[in-house]
Each structure stands twice: as C-alpha cells, then as structure tokens.
Amino acid sequence: MELPLPQLLAELDAEVYDSSITDETFFGAAVQRKDGHIALAMPPGRDELERDTIARMLLGKALGIPMAPLPRSLRVAVSS
C-alpha cells in the first residue's frame, strides 16, 4: 500500500475511472469483479492528494487490508 499510486494500481489490477456522480459528499466507490479486477469510480475534479488518499482507502477496504480508523465524517460501506 506504500507504492506510488500508479504502481499500486498496476500491482493490484485496479483502475480509477471518473464517476458521473459529482455530489460533494461522494468520494468514490470500489467494485471488485469476479476476475479480481478492481474498478475505482471517483468524482472528477478532486485534487491529487484527495484522489490518492481515497483510492488507497477504497483499495484497502475492498481487499480487507487492516487500516487505521477513518475519520468519523467518512462513511464506508462494504457489500458483496
């Protein structure tokens, strides 16, 4: 999880896509396909640090990687 984001995405077979959801409270969503590929849908126009941080959070949640607790203002739901 400490690799530069482009390298991490390649290692985990993941891609970031621009979402059509532009609501300021939507940070992104991760979908893991049956073949293992992970699609991260994230709103366009967010700064690089935010996209990097949220992408790592979504990947960690999708893969079940233990992480530090998230701020209370962020709500993450995982469904299968």
Side-chain angles (χ1 to χ4, degrees), residues 6-79:
Q7 190 176 348
L8 181 63
L9 292 169
E11 290 277 331
L12 297 176
D13 188 23
E15 276 185 89
V16 176
Y17 298 93
D18 283 341
S19 170
S20 61
I21 300 171
T22 56
D23 184 310
E24 66 183 32
T25 63
F26 175 74
F27 290 94
V31 176
Q32 189 168 19
R33 298 181 192 155
K34 290 180 183 182
D35 66 2
H37 180 81
I38 301 172
L40 302 176
M42 300 177 68
R46 303 285 173 93
D47 67 53
E48 187 177 335
L49 177 61
E50 181 178 322
R51 283 179 72 89
D52 184 281
T53 302
I54 297 298
R56 291 173 191 279
M57 179 208 54
L58 292 170
L59 287 168
K61 286 292 187 179
L63 297 171
I65 296 170
M67 299 183 306
L70 298 172
R72 298 186 89 171
S73 60
L74 289 177
R75 183 176 58 95
V76 177
V78 177
S79 60

